[in-house]
Amino acid sequence: MALLAMAVAAGAGAAHLRSAPASASLEWGAGIGADTMRGLRNGVRNGRSMREGGRRVLRLVWCRSGGGEPDYEGGSDGVPSSVFIFGMGYTSLALANSLRKRGWEVAGTCRSEEKRSALESRGFQAHRFNPDNDAECLREEAIQDLHRSTHIVSSVPPVGDFDCDPVLSSHREALVQAASGGLQWVGYLSSTSVYGDWQGGWVEEEIEPRPVDRKAVARREAEKSWLQFGDEAGVCVHVFRLGGIYGPGRSALDTVRVSEKKLSTRQQLRGHKRFTSRVHVADICQVVVKAMESGQRTGRVYNVVDDDPSPRAEVMAYARALLYDEHENPPVTSDNELSEGSASAVANASLVAEKRVSNRRVKEELQVELLHPSFRSGLEAIASGSNAPFD
């Protein structure tokens, strides 16, 4: 691979030059002198933009050795985009896979050395960040990756003693520095739990959330902090309120297979709800990717759920039907059998908050067509062996 510098006449705005892959080299472009090339090298190395008289003069394009069409041109400036993901867990790893397939460069954080090694074996640049462990912060190499990124995604919830967002609390200065460079967009993965209890009514993004549960209250405060950061730093921030996440290896099918496992209090309580809004992890990925590539420059909140908020018992029954035929005797989980200690908790509205979450906005503004509009198609895909988006 070679990095070819091409002179172009561009309008206002900065073309942020980012670090080239280790295998890339700088080649001379027609009419580009030694001083310009030295500046280009420095700009690439330091993640700075190169401008002349208010006009962009250079464009970076990754091409195959010997010329030909670019392998990938990333954003509108032709510079391959990069994302830094705080908290590469189940959903974020799926997102990382989806973005890498689209040509994005991906770096991110995890909580343990074991997880870091596993992520690097998959080809991701991974760094340790564990706010539970005495606020273990990013090291210099990770900060450099953060500053080189055009996009940031955070899936780190308020945890432990934090009643605020741990990423902003630990690394606000580094994020501000990134915003003054090439950072264009930030996405925060939140939860529909921030809405609280609406007694089964429909909720959209325009309504004011009224969380009751302590974790939901902290989530809502984290949302506000990220949106405020975007306003102050001049960076587009999108908040994604995710429904109950399921996908390969983490679905009702898996619960049925290990039905002898005792359900937690929270799982038992969910079994008594009339409505639960869910979303397949593949649909989370497509919504977030569309938002990242949409070119929007204003802060926005999006509900990310399917079309079919349904009771847990209905979902579990469908999962059993997919796994066992009528001649078999499937195991039965105790979805509706609360332990003595849990029974009294049903009266607590914060634990059984009822609402149906609308996804109208992602369909209208991001033109999203859900891959799995119902838990039925999602479970059917998993049962048939689909591992998307982890394949």
Side-chain angles (χ1 to χ4, degrees):
M1 302 284 286
L3 187 64
L4 178 62
M6 301 172 63
V8 297
H16 296 287
L17 308 182
R18 302 170 41 255
S19 292
S23 59
S25 61
L26 287 170
E27 295 183 357
W28 295 106
I32 298 177
D35 290 341
T36 301
M37 288 305 297
R38 276 193 294 272
L40 174 59
R41 287 192 181 93
N42 291 334
V44 169
R45 184 179 301 113
N46 298 321
R48 296 195 301 266
S49 60
M50 293 193 59
R51 300 170 60 86
E52 181 176 298
R55 295 164 59 85
R56 285 196 301 270
V57 296
L58 295 173
R59 181 185 185 193
L60 301 184
V61 180
W62 268 263
C63 294
R64 292 183 174 86
S65 298
E69 293 298 315
D71 292 315
Y72 174 71
E73 291 201 18
S76 60
D77 292 321
V79 180
S81 297
S82 65
V83 61
F84 191 95
I85 301 176
F86 282 95
M88 292 182 71
Y90 181 80
T91 301
S92 295
L93 180 57
L95 177 62
N97 283 341
S98 300
L99 288 168
R100 186 165 61 178
K101 289 177 183 178
R102 299 175 68 83
W104 287 67
E105 295 180 7
V106 181
T109 74
C110 58
R111 298 165 68 89
S112 69
E113 185 63 26
E114 181 181 8
K115 184 66 179 292
R116 189 194 67 78
S117 297
L119 288 169
E120 294 207 334
S121 71
R122 292 171 176 252
F124 298 112
Q125 183 68 32
H127 307 280
R128 290 273 298 277
F129 172 60
N130 187 354
D132 273 342
N133 185 20
D134 295 326
E136 180 179 348
C137 296
L138 297 177
R139 297 180 178 179
E140 182 59 29
E141 182 183 2
I143 296 295
Q144 291 176 4
D145 277 345
L146 178 66
H147 286 170
R148 283 193 289 264
S149 298
T150 58
H151 295 64
I152 290 173
V153 173
S154 176
S155 67
V156 180
V159 291
D161 295 331
F162 282 91
D163 57 359
C164 56
D165 184 85
V167 174
L168 281 170
S169 179
S170 302
H171 294 294
R172 188 180 191 90
E173 182 179 348
L175 291 164
V176 170
Q177 291 174 356
S180 66
L183 182 62
Q184 303 169 14
W185 181 94
V186 173
Y188 175 64
L189 305 189
S190 185
S191 168
T192 56
S193 66
V194 301
Y195 286 113
D197 185 21
W198 291 80
Q199 299 180 343
W202 285 94
V203 294
E204 296 190 341
E205 294 88 345
E206 291 87 352
I207 73 164
E208 180 62 28
R210 50 190 190 196
V212 178
D213 178 79
R214 179 177 176 275
K215 290 184 178 179
V217 171
R219 280 278 197 184
R220 177 57 180 150
E221 291 305 310
E223 289 184 355
K224 292 178 181 178
S225 296
W226 277 109
L227 291 168
Q228 181 180 0
F229 167 79
D231 289 340
E232 294 174 352
V235 173
C236 176
V237 173
H238 286 167
V239 171
F240 302 93
R241 292 174 179 160
L242 311 182
I245 303 167
Y246 74 97
R250 189 176 295 188
S251 73
L253 298 168
D254 301 282
T255 302
V256 169
R257 291 189 183 106
V258 293
S259 60
E260 68 276 5
K261 182 183 71 173
K262 179 177 174 59
L263 298 178
S264 69
T265 297
R266 189 168 290 273
Q267 287 176 315
Q268 294 178 66
L269 289 170
R270 283 202 300 263
H272 287 258
K273 294 173 66 173
R274 292 175 297 159
F275 307 108
T276 297
S277 295
R278 299 173 180 81
V279 62
H280 192 290
V281 67
D283 278 317
I284 297 175
C285 292
Q286 74 149 328
V287 169
V288 176
V289 169
K290 281 181 177 289
M292 293 172 75
E293 298 181 345
S294 68
Q296 291 188 32
R297 290 294 176 263
T298 56
R300 207 68 167 138
V301 176
Y302 290 107
N303 292 334
V304 188
V305 295
D306 66 21
D307 299 334
D308 189 14
S310 304
R312 177 185 172 88
E314 184 178 339
V315 177
M316 298 302 294
Y318 195 77
R320 294 186 192 103
L322 288 174
L323 290 175
Y324 303 97
D325 63 35
E326 60 183 356
H327 302 295
E328 293 181 285
N329 185 24
V332 178
T333 56
S334 55
D335 296 332
N336 297 308
E337 297 177 8
L338 288 173
S339 64
E340 182 178 351
S342 303
S344 61
V346 174
N348 188 336
S350 68
L351 293 179
V352 289
E354 293 277 13
K355 70 261 182 191
R356 285 175 286 178
V357 183
S358 169
N359 58 22
R360 175 187 57 84
R361 179 175 286 181
V362 296
K363 291 180 177 179
E364 293 180 356
E365 294 188 4
L366 299 179
Q367 303 299 304
V368 168
E369 182 175 346
L370 293 175
L371 301 169
H372 302 292
S374 167
F375 69 86
R376 292 174 179 82
S377 66
L379 292 180
E380 287 167 6
I382 298 168
S384 67
S386 171
N387 197 41
F390 295 100
D391 49 359

